[in-house]
Amino acid sequence: MRTFKRKQLAQSISMALVGSVVAATVVMPAQAQDNTAQLEEVIVTAQKREQNMQDVALSIQVLGNQQLEELNVRSFDDFINFLPTVSYTAQGGPGGPGFGQVYMRGIASGGDGNHSASMPSVGYYLDEQPVTTINQVLDIHMYDIARVETLAGPQGTFYGQGSQSGTIRIITNKPEIGVSLGGYDLEVNTVKSGDMGYDLNGFWNFPIGERAAIRLVAWHKEVGGYIDQVPTTMHFPGPQAYTVDNSDFTGKDDNSVTTSGLRALLKVDLNDNWSITPGIMAQNSDHDGYFHHNPEFFGDLETGHLWPASGEDDWYQATLTLNGSIGDVDMVYAGAYLDRQQDYQYDYSDYTEYWAYYLTNPDYYEAPGYCVYYNDAGDCAVGTQYVDAQNDFTRQSHELRFQSAADQRLRWTGGLFYQTQKHSFDLQYTVPDSAVATSVVEGGNVVWQTKQVREDRDTAAFGELTFDFTDKFSGTIGARYFEYENSLYGFNGFLRHCTGQYIDGEFVEIPADEGGEIQYPCFNTRILDDVAKGDDWAFKGNLEYRFDTNKMIYVTWSEGFRAGGVNRARVEGIPKYDPDFVTNYEFGWKTVLADGAVRFNGAVYILDWDNFQFGFLDFEVSNLTIVQNVGNSQTKGVEWDLAWAVNDKNTLSFAGSYNDAELKTNFWRTQDLEDAGEPPNAPKGTPMPYVPKWQLTGIWRSNFDVGSLPSFFQAALSYTGARWNDLDTLNVPARRKMDDYTLLNLSTGIEKDNWTLSLYVNNVFDERAQIDIEDPGYGGLPNLQRPPGHKWTTVTNRPRSFGIRFGQRF
């Protein structure tokens, strides 16, 4: 067995448990002695110790504090476009802030995103804590941020479960002892054919005596809407056919967002060797409207729904970091607790429309003429339907690390890690006109409920060992042993699923007319109650050769993984799903040229994704989204990051990636389809979804004087290539190819003494990016022709926007 072999290999590797102080600084651009321009030195903590980025044998892209400010970055949507090694989509519900899925190096199946299914393949970190959640990326307000580190390729040894194809780390600025400084930034903006918005930010770092300091950060912003909710109707055929309109819910610029938050960090030097840093960060975000449009049915930036959308996303993170040294060994403990609560509503009337056409069409249904839902009078209920969703995430993580001194020939880093994430979610699919007697929730109008508690636990021991064979040649081995225990408990179903009992450990449904009793709340019927457990190893090997202090090449073999889990369909023949692994073969280079004026880093790689987890809607057996390990894929790619300080006034950067990701085996949704000789859902060679072959970014920054005023101009361009929205080639016409898009942002202004005044135009070309194209409702029903006026939804970006910003430091 594979696991047995991996454990044998693990026993041959000696792992030391080590750690480091996680902190970083960015050194501002310097001038060489002959006054030629030089690029800034970038310090990162990607490998759990403070290092110059050029000394790390790893493909890393960094957006530092200054660059984040220059790019006017304030949210996830702002910075993700300038990470060409990352692709993303935004699926499910109303979309908008707090909804999204990120991918790296072509490790994307399109089957991710369901709350009961696979974890993401990219780790997402806020300082020391993983904050990765399924399809609901934490939209952290990006102010007073030290940097964003993007670590490309599997990071299984140091970052573990979920960092299967890469890791994104958001690092906040920390308190500075003995320093008093502060600042604020004010912004007013507007969007083409939309509403005005504003952004207020401020920070203050002040000492408390000689051994302590506190850093306070606060923000409040209003983002104006730009998508109109336009008049529409929906026809529901049946024994009592009817048409419904949305006249009560129309409006212009409907998708506004309001965000407020604060961050407080206290650092105390206990003595010369030990310090402690507790902190708290909290954010509230409210949004209205939908963040997609229906250009094929309505018009540009227009959508139409029978129910309005709204949402609230509240979260806080409490952290505690302890740094110190014991002799020559450094130690760090990092603990964090995240609590996130989401409440939102969105329209789901398309589901009723699909079933109404299905039940009244004899070509599809053997006995047409039924209503989808009935009201209290026994007639067809008006099919307006919406989802009322509540999500409660709690996550705690603890890591204890030790590490040797960085100047030793034999260096080691390692530690112990534990985390648990609990996700309680209650999705109530509500038809206001439906009969109370058929409600899953007592006294309500809920026709279907998904109320579950998902708990994911990870325990790990990890380490890396580096040895300098010579002054120029070094080798590293690393390993991570992990154990996981993932469970699902709760209920999903109609009212009829609320009757039954467990017999010999199996749930047996007893219909009401046979004596079955409704068990309110249905959650306690324990239709779903199962656990997936397992353990395994992830390994890494690296060799690096340094020609001189400015040129290095390396080769890496590394693994990344996702844990296995439980399927929410407790049906015979639908098993749990196993972990899936990515194996990375990489050759990379790090170079600084032209006396420090040019930095050129890059990597070429091949990634094999074995027995990958794939989530899909199972119509044949359970009528639920399930996950199976279905096949293999391979990515062949290259990525690079080129920066050039042309002179002391102008800098250029050009970064990009090319990924050719495709299936290496035929893919069938289930083994039964393959055994029956059915054609594969996707044949070998099918491109993996949400993977653009080309992603490019370019930035030109120019500083100049206008009279006595030091001024600047900046142009930032990003390009994302075409990609598919689905892997299943038989899912026609839902599988679509999304167009490529190019975004250009321009800014100019004055930087004088301690203040800055700038003007910017984002999305100069007013491009409509196709971030995702979705088939609303139940568009994947087999052999079901779409109803007339089928409304494809396209998740898009923000139109052309203008802003003016003033900031001051003191």
Side-chain angles (χ1 to χ4, degrees):
M1 293 179 61
R2 175 180 180 275
T3 301
F4 174 73
K5 291 180 179 179
R6 297 175 68 84
K7 288 181 177 179
Q8 281 185 324
L9 177 60
Q11 292 170 359
S12 67
I13 295 181
S14 174
M15 293 173 51
L17 304 178
V18 295
S20 69
V21 176
V22 175
T25 60
V26 175
V27 180
M28 298 302 294
Q31 292 286 78
Q33 291 183 355
D34 59 358
N35 290 324
T36 59
Q38 286 187 319
L39 293 168
E40 63 183 19
E41 183 183 70
V42 180
I43 304 300
V44 298
T45 52
Q47 297 296 281
K48 306 290 187 179
R49 69 167 73 229
E50 195 174 279
Q51 294 172 286
N52 184 330
M53 183 176 71
Q54 296 305 106
D55 294 333
V56 182
L58 174 68
S59 181
I60 309 174
Q61 184 185 1
V62 176
L63 296 176
N65 177 268
Q66 182 176 341
Q67 195 169 24
L68 291 169
E69 290 299 315
E70 291 173 351
L71 290 170
N72 299 314
V73 168
R74 287 291 180 263
S75 67
F76 173 84
D77 288 339
D78 292 334
F79 74 77
I80 201 70
N81 289 315
F82 294 99
L83 299 177
T85 58
V86 181
S87 60
Y88 80 107
T89 184
Q91 302 170 326
F99 291 86
Q101 195 86 358
V102 293
Y103 306 105
M104 297 179 72
R105 289 192 173 180
I107 304 303
S109 68
D112 303 305
N114 187 281
H115 39 249
S116 302
S118 301
M119 291 293 289
S121 61
V122 174
Y124 197 63
Y125 275 69
L126 175 55
D127 287 324
E128 284 286 305
Q129 186 182 33
V131 292
T132 314
T133 52
I134 299 172
N135 198 33
Q136 291 165 316
V137 63
L138 201 64
D139 193 17
I140 301 158
H141 185 72
M142 301 293 290
Y143 184 73
D144 197 41
I145 300 296
R147 67 194 178 281
V148 177
E149 293 181 4
T150 305
L151 320 182
Q155 306 297 319
T157 53
F158 270 150
Y159 295 98
Q161 135 78 9
S163 289
Q164 185 180 42
S165 60
T167 303
I168 299 174
R169 306 176 69 226
I170 297 175
I171 311 299
T172 61
N173 280 324
K174 303 303 186 291
E176 298 179 55
I177 293 177
V179 176
S180 180
L181 56 88
Y184 62 89
D185 290 90
L186 313 175
E187 178 183 327
V188 178
N189 55 63
T190 187
V191 62
K192 177 189 174 184
S193 303
D195 282 345
M196 298 280 292
Y198 61 88
D199 192 359
L200 312 175
N201 303 273
F203 76 95
W204 187 21
N205 186 104
F206 59 93
I208 304 175
E210 296 181 354
R211 287 188 172 272
I214 190 168
R215 195 176 189 103
L216 302 175
V217 188
W219 58 91
H220 177 78
K221 70 175 180 178
E222 178 84 26
V223 179
Y226 52 88
I227 291 180
D228 299 337
Q229 178 79 277
V230 299
T232 189
T233 60
M234 186 175 289
H235 179 72
F236 298 88
Q240 298 98 29
Y242 55 90
T243 300
V244 180
D245 65 53
N246 68 339
S247 57
D248 292 338
F249 308 126
T250 59
K252 287 184 64 63
D253 308 326
D254 199 37
N255 60 325
S256 62
V257 184
T258 302
T259 302
S260 301
L262 59 87
R263 184 169 72 244
L265 285 172
L266 170 67
K267 181 179 181 181
V268 179
D269 284 344
L270 302 175
N271 54 41
D272 292 340
N273 294 324
W274 292 87
S275 67
I276 188 170
T277 307
I280 186 76
M281 184 175 181
Q283 182 173 292
N284 166 265
S285 182
D286 296 317
H287 72 263
D288 293 307
Y290 295 87
F291 289 79
H292 57 243
H293 66 155
N294 307 86
E296 299 178 18
F297 188 80
F298 297 112
D300 182 40
L301 300 177
E302 292 182 340
T303 189
H305 293 273
L306 299 187
W307 197 264
S310 62
E312 184 174 5
D313 190 352
D314 294 332
W315 59 269
Y316 74 86
Q317 182 202 50
T319 61
L320 179 66
T321 305
L322 176 66
N323 296 290
S325 60
I326 305 173
D328 293 333
V329 176
D330 293 330
M331 190 206 83
V332 61
Y333 163 77
Y337 179 82
L338 176 73
D339 189 304
R340 182 184 186 189
Q341 295 184 351
Q342 284 183 313
D343 298 292
Y344 54 92
Q345 289 185 347
Y346 60 93
D347 188 28
Y348 205 67
S349 301
D350 296 279
Y351 175 93
T352 314
E353 182 191 34
Y354 280 123
W355 277 105
Y357 275 86
Y358 181 81
L359 294 176
T360 57
N361 192 328
D363 293 336
Y364 305 126
Y365 194 66
E366 295 178 357
Y370 292 98
C371 302
V372 181
Y373 305 112
Y374 292 86
N375 59 24
D376 288 322
D379 299 324
C380 290
V382 175
T384 302
Q385 182 173 180
Y386 67 90
V387 178
D388 190 359
Q390 294 86 41
N391 289 280
D392 186 4
F393 301 88
T394 58
R395 188 178 201 135
Q396 62 170 304
S397 62
H398 305 272
E399 185 166 298
L400 178 65
R401 300 193 304 270
F402 299 87
Q403 80 178 162
S404 65
D407 58 357
Q408 295 181 359
R409 187 177 184 185
L410 179 65
R411 302 177 296 280
W412 46 267
T413 301
L416 300 172
F417 177 80
Y418 170 79
Q419 72 168 344
T420 178
Q421 175 178 280
K422 186 175 181 181
H423 180 190
S424 303
F425 48 94
D426 185 359
L427 282 70
Q428 299 183 9
Y429 294 75
T430 302
V431 178
D433 191 44
S434 65
V436 174
T438 61
S439 176
V440 183
V441 177
E442 190 172 12
N445 306 100
V446 180
V447 296
W448 174 282
Q449 184 182 31
T450 299
K451 183 176 174 60
Q452 299 172 2
V453 175
R454 172 177 182 153
E455 201 157 354
D456 299 277
R457 297 177 182 270
D458 299 278
T459 305
F462 63 90
E464 286 194 2
L465 186 70
T466 299
F467 181 71
D468 295 333
F469 299 106
T470 69
D471 292 342
K472 295 183 177 183
F473 184 47
S474 302
T476 299
I477 57 173
R480 188 182 189 96
Y481 171 75
F482 64 93
E483 297 179 351
Y484 67 88
E485 180 178 322
N486 301 334
S487 64
L488 275 175
Y489 176 92
F491 171 82
N492 44 242
F494 297 105
L495 182 66
R496 64 176 181 269
H497 299 127
C498 294
T499 60
Q501 62 184 15
Y502 274 87
I503 299 177
D504 296 329
E506 294 295 327
F507 183 83
V508 178
E509 182 180 330
I510 302 176
D513 58 3
E514 297 180 12
E517 296 183 358
I518 298 173
Q519 302 179 38
Y520 286 118
C522 296
F523 177 75
N524 290 335
T525 59
R526 297 175 61 198
I527 285 180
L528 182 60
D529 184 9
D530 208 351
V531 179
K533 298 180 180 181
D535 64 281
D536 214 322
W537 290 82
F539 297 104
K540 173 184 176 180
N542 172 272
L543 294 173
E544 60 181 88
Y545 183 80
R546 185 170 296 280
F547 297 94
D548 54 43
T549 56
N550 291 324
K551 300 180 187 67
M552 185 231 322
I553 59 173
Y554 66 89
V555 291
T556 296
W557 173 86
S558 58
E559 292 184 311
F561 62 92
R562 290 187 298 183
V566 174
N567 272 304
R568 62 172 172 157
R570 297 194 68 186
V571 180
E572 184 177 355
I574 300 180
K576 304 171 186 177
Y577 54 94
D578 296 325
D580 57 358
F581 277 78
V582 171
T583 305
N584 174 56
Y585 309 90
E586 179 176 338
F587 169 78
W589 62 91
K590 296 285 183 79
T591 61
V592 176
L593 309 169
D595 295 325
V598 175
R599 182 174 60 237
F600 181 41
N601 300 336
V604 294
Y605 45 84
I606 295 176
L607 278 77
D608 290 326
W609 192 10
D610 297 328
N611 208 25
F612 63 80
Q613 300 168 9
F614 182 75
F616 59 91
L617 194 55
D618 169 44
F619 295 109
E620 288 78 12
V621 179
S622 66
N623 203 35
L624 294 169
T625 297
I626 65 171
V627 179
Q628 299 285 271
N629 299 89
V630 298
N632 304 328
S633 78
Q634 186 178 81
T635 302
K636 298 177 181 178
V638 58
E639 59 200 20
W640 69 91
D641 190 350
L642 172 65
W644 178 27
V646 181
N647 51 47
D648 61 353
K649 297 291 187 181
N650 291 271
T651 58
L652 295 171
S653 65
F654 177 53
S657 67
Y658 171 84
N659 287 290
D660 183 9
E662 61 181 37
L663 278 176
K664 301 305 291 182
T665 57
N666 291 332
F667 151 58
W668 286 267
R669 286 197 187 201
T670 64
Q671 185 64 44
D672 291 342
L673 293 174
E674 182 179 1
D675 294 342
E678 296 292 331
N681 292 88
K684 177 182 177 180
T686 301
M688 302 304 285
Y690 299 111
V691 181
K693 283 197 172 181
W694 288 99
Q695 288 179 271
L696 306 170
T697 64
I699 302 172
W700 169 40
R701 178 84 175 186
S702 179
N703 295 292
F704 52 89
D705 293 331
V706 177
S708 61
L709 297 177
S711 305
F712 70 89
F713 173 80
Q714 179 172 280
L717 187 77
S718 66
Y719 169 81
T720 301
R723 59 249 172 269
W724 292 93
N725 70 338
D726 199 343
L727 179 63
D728 190 345
T729 60
L730 301 182
N731 192 15
V732 178
R735 182 176 183 262
R736 289 194 165 193
K737 195 170 188 178
M738 298 179 287
D739 295 335
D740 61 345
Y741 60 90
T742 301
L743 304 177
L744 174 65
N745 298 345
L746 301 177
S747 61
T748 187
I750 301 167
E751 295 179 323
K752 183 172 175 61
D753 298 329
N754 64 338
W755 59 268
T756 301
L757 176 65
S758 62
L759 304 171
Y760 69 82
V761 183
N762 287 342
N763 192 7
V764 173
F765 301 139
D766 198 29
E767 185 91 354
R768 296 290 176 271
Q770 293 181 338
I771 298 171
D772 198 9
I773 298 178
E774 296 180 335
D775 195 358
Y778 238 45
L781 280 171
N783 303 317
L784 178 57
Q785 188 177 26
R786 270 75 176 167
H790 182 76
K791 300 184 288 294
W792 298 94
T793 62
T794 300
V795 180
T796 191
N797 61 319
R798 191 169 177 80
R800 183 188 299 121
S801 56
F802 308 83
I804 180 170
R805 175 179 292 178
F806 178 80
Q808 188 174 18
R809 300 295 180 263
F810 48 82

